[in-house]
Amino acid sequence: MKISKNIETLLNEQYHMEMSSGLQYMAMASYFLTQELNGFANFFVAQAQEEYFHAQKHFEYIHTVDGRISPLAINQARAEFESPLHVFELSLEYECEVSKSICRLTQTAMQEQDYATHTFLQWFIKEQIEEESLFQLMVRKLKLIGKDPAALFFMDDELSKRKFVKSGDEA
Ligand code: FEO
């Protein structure tokens, strides 16, 4: 099976978007380490691993359908943040952008009657529902915590337990 040039370009853009997300989340992990919030840092390292895993799925699919990865620019990661809440608000914005991009790609696959790519993208649509929901929850929790350092350190401890686990049909 061979994908169209248009779909190949869009899949490449998505691959680079996932790689950029990984780098962005590593920059966030680094910020948290400077704030002595190692649990938050752990959360973002695990999140970055998820993003590289998403990129890997695109890489493999592109090659399965006779396409090729083309070198594109990786977005410059942001390194300065105002607070833990600010980091999670930005993350939620990024995730919403990723969701929109996946939806645009899915729509194009439909228009081109590329059912293989359309099927491949269903996993990502489900994944984005989970990602947006996770970051929304974190934003809400941090708003509740406000400036309470004890609650923040409790949350830090909780986040230290997060581990990257491959999910879905890729095992
Ligand atoms: Fe791979 Fe968080 O989107």
Side-chain angles (χ1 to χ4, degrees):
M1 187 169 290
K2 179 128 180 76
I3 46 174
S4 72
K5 267 285 156 216
N6 187 30
I7 292 285
E8 184 179 0
T9 301
L10 293 174
L11 284 167
N12 261 283
E13 285 173 6
Q14 195 62 42
Y15 166 81
H16 285 82
M17 196 173 196
E18 303 287 356
M19 293 294 278
S20 294
S21 299
L23 288 173
Q24 181 58 72
Y25 290 137
M26 287 306 286
M28 289 166 166
S30 178
Y31 159 78
F32 280 116
L33 284 176
T34 67
Q35 306 296 304
E36 315 306 337
L37 290 167
N38 294 15
F40 280 88
N42 174 67
F43 175 96
F44 277 99
V45 169
Q47 187 61 37
Q49 288 171 325
E50 276 211 12
E51 301 306 344
Y52 295 136
F53 172 64
H54 297 168
Q56 177 73 16
K57 281 180 84 76
H58 283 284
F59 180 95
E60 285 169 10
Y61 179 71
I62 288 168
H63 284 278
T64 303
V65 288
D66 256 355
R68 193 170 174 190
I69 294 290
S70 26
L72 295 176
I74 297 284
N75 294 341
Q76 176 86 34
R78 178 181 182 135
E80 301 302 327
F81 310 98
E82 291 156 24
S83 64
L85 175 60
H86 184 221
V87 173
F88 277 94
E89 284 174 335
L90 285 173
S91 303
L92 179 56
E93 276 176 33
Y94 293 141
E95 290 304 330
C96 291
E97 284 306 311
V98 173
S99 298
K100 276 190 212 151
S101 177
I102 293 278
C103 288
R104 276 195 298 269
L105 184 45
T106 308
Q107 194 175 27
T108 306
M110 281 262 271
Q111 283 161 353
E112 293 196 13
Q113 299 186 341
D114 178 345
Y115 299 115
T117 301
H118 187 271
T119 301
F120 166 70
L121 292 169
Q122 300 309 300
W123 184 92
F124 286 92
I125 291 173
K126 190 166 153 280
E127 179 73 3
Q128 282 310 118
I129 294 169
E130 288 171 15
E131 299 236 312
E132 280 190 36
S133 163
L134 172 65
F135 281 103
Q136 238 153 23
L137 177 68
M138 301 297 285
V139 166
R140 284 196 201 110
K141 281 189 178 182
L142 283 163
K143 282 185 176 167
L144 281 173
I145 284 174
K147 294 195 184 308
D148 179 350
L152 189 66
F153 283 114
F154 180 78
M155 189 169 172
D156 189 59
D157 191 49
E158 286 296 302
L159 296 185
S160 70
K161 296 171 192 148
R162 184 182 185 194
K163 286 190 174 75
F164 166 61
V165 182
K166 284 186 182 183
S167 60
D169 58 2
E170 67 286 343

